[in-house]
Amino acid sequence: MARSMPGFLNKPLDGLRSFTAGQRTVALIGVAILVLGAVAFGTWATKPSYTPLFSGLSAADANTIVEQLRTDGVDYELSNGGATILVPEEQVYDQRLKSAAAGLPSASTGGYSLLDDMGMTSSEFQQSVTYKRALEGELAATIGALDGVSKASVRLAIPEDTVFVDEKKDPTASVFVETESGASLNDDQVQAIVHLTSASIDGMVPTNVAVIDSDGTVLSAVGAGVTGSADKQSSKYEEGVRSSVQTMLDRVVGPGNATVVVAADMNDESAERVEETFTTPDGDPVLSETTNSEEYEGAGGAGAGVLGPDNIGVPDEGKGDGTFNSEEATRNNAINKVTESRIIPAGAIERQTVSVAIDAAAAANLSVADVTQLVTSAAGIDTDRGDEVTVEVLAFNDAGAAEAAEALAAADAAAKAKRQAELLQTIVIAAGVVLVILIILIVYALRSRRQRREAIDLGELQEIRPELQGSAAMALPVPTLAPQLEPSTDTTAIDVVPIIPRTPVATDIDRQRAEIDAMAQQDPSKMADYLRGMMDDRQPV
C-alpha cells in the first residue's frame, strides 16, 4: 500500500506517536515556551528606544506638547508624574525644534535670558525687576537640579540703595522646594541650598535665607538656621552632650554604672548687638597739637595795672613793671576705638545643667572631684554663663535588674524558638515539595512503563513463526504480559502460513501465557527478536 504522506514527514510523526502522554505534555510545554520567548524577543527587538524630550514640565506645557505629538502621530510615554515626556530617539530633535517654534515650553523661569529682551527704553525700575527675576530663575534652576528636588522657586528681597538712610538693610531670600515622591531633604542638602542662595546675592548672610518644603515644613528659618525650631535645637544639643558624657563615663565606671541627664535653656529670639570700646594706646601718641604764646614787656604807667570789675583797669600802685606772658596749648591724643557688631541667632545657649549619678558599687575607688572636672570639660560648661554640674554617688536600685535579665532571657528564648519553628516549617515545606515531586515521578514512571507494554496474541506469534506450533511452543518461555489482544486485522502485514485452528477452552489464556513465559525463559534473545518483528509489522502506514 502506498504511503499517504511523503517519507520525510513519516519519521517525525512516527516519533511523535511513540511519545507517551507525559512526554507529549512536556514537548507541548517546551514548544509553548519557545513560541512565547520568540514573541517577547521580537516585541523587545522591534520596540523603539525612548529618550526624554522635555523634563520638569508644568501641567499646561505637558498637555500642549502631548497634543502636538498626537497631531504628528508620534509615539510618546509619560514619566515622573507627567513632568517628563519620552519620545523615540529618532524623533527627539525634530520635535524639539517644532516645540521651540511654537514657544514651548512656555512656563520657564527664564534666568539671565530675560535680560536679552530688554530694550534701550527700559526704565530703571524695569531693569531692576528684570535683573531680580533673572537671579531668581537661575537660582531656582540650580536648586531644582539637586537630587530629591522636583521643583524649586526663589523669591529675593533686595533693599534699594539710597543716601537717605544711615543703615542699609540686609537682603533676604525665601526658597520653596517641592521634593520628589517619597524623598526628603536632609540637613546637609538644606544647608547646601542656604549657602548656595546666600553666596549668590551680594551682602546676604546664610541666616537670612528661609527654606520651606511643599508640606509647609520650615527647613531653615531666618535667624534660626537650618536646625529648625528651638525645641528641636534644644533636644539635639542635649542629646549630643549627654551622649558624649555617657560614653566617657562608660569607659571610666563601666556600662550601666552611670546615668547622665542634660538640660539646656536656649534663646529662641534673634538679635543684633553693636558695641564700641575705647582704650588708651601705649605711649599716648598725639594726633594734633596747637600752642599759642603771648609775651609783653614794658615800663609801668598809669594805664598799666590789672583789670578790675567791668573790665576797668585798676592801677597796681607802681608795683608792676609792665611785663606780661601768656601761653595756651590744645592737644588731641589718639585713642583706640573698637566697634563690634554681632548678630545673635536663635538657638543660643543661655544656661545648661548636667546631672550625673554613679553607682556606689562601681565608684569605690573614684574621686568625685575628678569625675566632676571630666564632666565639666566634656560638656563645655561655662560658669560665667551660669552652667552647673552635679555629680552624686548613689546606690542604684537593682530590684528590676533580675526581672530585666529574665525578660531579656525570655525574649532571647522566644526569638530562638521562633527561628527554630520557622526553620522546621521551611524543612516541612521543602520535604512536602520533594515528596510531591517524588510521587509525581513515580506515577509518571509507572504510567510510562504501563504504556510501553504491548499485548501479544499467541496466534499472531504462531502465524509469524510456524515452527512454534505444538509442543515446540510449549518449550519456549515468555514473560507474563497484559491480557491477550484481539487478532490483528492489518491487511498490509506480511504473508502468513495457514495454521490449524484450535478450539478455545476455558484455560486458553493461561496456557498461552505459560507458553510465552516458557519461550522467554529458554531463549530471551530470540523472543525479543520475534516481538520486535511483530511490532514492526503492526506499525500503521
Side-chain angles (χ1 to χ4, degrees):
M1 179 178 177
R3 296 181 179 270
S4 59
M5 300 183 66
F8 67 90
L9 293 178
N10 289 334
K11 291 184 179 180
L13 292 177
D14 293 342
L16 183 61
R17 291 191 187 97
S18 63
F19 283 179
T20 61
Q23 292 174 341
R24 293 176 183 176
T25 303
V26 173
L28 290 176
I29 294 175
V31 171
I33 292 175
L34 290 177
V35 172
L36 292 177
V39 171
F41 177 77
T43 303
W44 173 80
T46 56
K47 183 179 180 181
S49 177
Y50 284 85
T51 187
L53 179 63
F54 292 106
S55 299
L57 296 172
S58 64
D61 287 344
N63 180 60
T64 306
I65 294 175
V66 166
E67 291 296 333
Q68 174 185 327
L69 295 176
R70 290 176 180 174
T71 303
D72 296 341
V74 178
D75 296 333
Y76 66 91
E77 291 182 358
L78 299 178
S79 63
N80 195 16
T84 301
I85 300 178
L86 306 174
V87 297
E89 189 173 359
E90 62 274 7
Q91 298 286 342
V92 171
Y93 300 107
D94 293 340
Q95 293 302 320
R96 282 181 182 174
L97 293 176
K98 291 183 179 180
S99 299
L104 297 174
S106 60
S108 176
T109 54
Y112 288 124
S113 61
L114 295 175
L115 302 177
D116 299 336
D117 300 331
M118 294 184 61
M120 297 181 60
T121 58
S122 300
S123 63
E124 183 179 356
F125 175 76
Q126 289 177 333
Q127 294 177 2
S128 176
V129 172
T130 304
Y131 177 69
K132 187 173 70 172
R133 288 179 57 198
L135 289 178
E136 293 173 350
E138 291 293 333
L139 287 173
T142 305
I143 296 173
L146 295 176
D147 291 339
V149 178
S150 175
K151 185 186 302 182
S153 177
V154 180
R155 294 292 179 267
L156 301 177
I158 304 176
E160 297 181 0
D161 295 333
T162 177
V163 296
F164 298 103
V165 294
D166 54 353
E167 288 188 13
K168 180 181 178 181
K169 295 183 179 180
D170 295 332
T172 59
S174 59
V175 181
F176 171 81
V177 292
E178 181 179 353
T179 58
E180 296 178 353
S181 178
S184 60
L185 300 180
N186 53 34
D187 292 343
D188 293 336
Q189 290 176 309
V190 176
Q191 189 74 30
I193 294 174
V194 169
H195 284 283
L196 174 66
T197 305
S198 62
S200 302
I201 307 301
D202 185 21
M204 183 178 293
V205 294
T207 54
N208 287 339
V209 178
V211 181
I212 304 173
D213 64 2
S214 57
D215 296 331
T217 304
V218 179
L219 304 178
S220 176
V222 174
V226 179
T227 52
S229 62
D231 294 338
K232 184 178 180 180
Q233 293 181 22
S234 178
S235 301
K236 186 176 182 179
Y237 176 80
E238 292 172 356
E239 179 61 26
V241 174
R242 191 203 66 79
S243 177
S244 300
V245 176
Q246 186 69 56
T247 301
M248 180 194 66
L249 293 178
D250 288 344
R251 298 293 299 274
V252 175
V253 298
N257 294 322
T259 180
V260 181
V261 177
V262 179
D265 295 334
M266 287 190 174
N267 185 10
D268 56 355
E269 297 180 354
S270 59
E272 183 177 0
R273 182 177 181 180
V274 180
E275 292 182 355
E276 290 186 355
T277 305
F278 300 92
T279 59
T280 302
D282 297 337
D284 294 338
V286 179
L287 292 178
S288 64
E289 183 176 1
T290 303
T291 303
N292 295 325
S293 299
E294 185 178 355
E295 182 178 354
Y296 176 77
E297 295 181 0
V306 297
L307 294 176
D310 300 329
N311 293 331
I312 299 175
V314 180
D316 58 356
E317 298 179 356
K319 294 182 180 180
D321 55 0
T323 301
F324 175 74
N325 293 325
S326 176
E327 184 176 351
E328 181 180 357
T330 301
R331 178 181 297 178
N332 294 325
N333 293 328
I335 59 174
N336 294 332
K337 178 181 179 181
V338 178
T339 302
E340 182 180 3
S341 178
R342 293 186 301 171
I343 296 177
I344 304 175
I349 301 296
E350 293 185 348
R351 183 175 179 271
Q352 69 170 339
T353 58
V354 180
S355 302
V356 178
I358 302 176
D359 189 8
N365 299 323
L366 292 179
S367 173
V368 176
D370 295 340
V371 175
T372 303
Q373 185 64 31
L374 290 175
V375 174
T376 301
S377 301
I381 298 299
D382 187 1
T383 56
D384 296 337
R385 191 174 54 191
D387 297 350
E388 294 182 0
V389 175
T390 303
V391 178
E392 296 291 342
V393 178
L394 303 172
F396 281 13
N397 186 7
D398 298 335
E403 297 179 359
E406 293 178 358
L408 291 176
D412 293 339
K416 185 177 180 180
K418 182 178 180 180
R419 290 194 299 268
Q420 292 179 352
E422 292 177 352
L423 179 61
L424 181 60
Q425 183 179 3
T426 304
I427 294 175
V428 171
I429 293 175
V433 172
V434 172
L435 181 61
V436 171
I437 294 175
L438 290 177
I439 293 175
I440 293 174
L441 293 176
I442 292 173
V443 172
Y444 175 75
L446 293 177
R447 184 176 179 182
S448 300
R449 183 181 302 174
R450 189 176 300 113
Q451 290 179 350
R452 284 197 300 267
R453 293 177 178 175
E454 294 289 346
I456 302 175
D457 189 358
L458 186 59
E460 294 182 356
L461 183 61
Q462 292 174 348
E463 292 178 355
I464 298 172
R465 302 294 294 178
E467 64 273 14
L468 295 179
Q469 300 180 15
S471 60
M474 296 293 295
L476 296 177
V478 235
T480 303
L481 298 177
Q484 178 183 2
L485 295 175
E486 293 296 330
S488 175
T489 58
D490 190 2
T491 58
T492 62
I494 60 176
D495 295 336
V496 297
V497 180
I499 60 174
I500 302 173
R502 293 170 295 176
T503 303
V505 293
T507 60
D508 283 346
I509 297 176
D510 296 336
R511 180 176 56 79
Q512 292 175 0
R513 288 181 178 176
E515 291 175 352
I516 295 174
D517 186 37
M519 182 176 62
Q521 292 179 0
Q522 183 177 358
D523 194 350
S525 60
K526 291 184 178 181
M527 183 61 185
D529 293 337
Y530 299 155
L531 294 175
R532 190 177 298 109
M534 182 184 67
M535 293 176 65
D536 291 339
D537 293 339
R538 290 175 59 108
Q539 290 294 332
V541 296

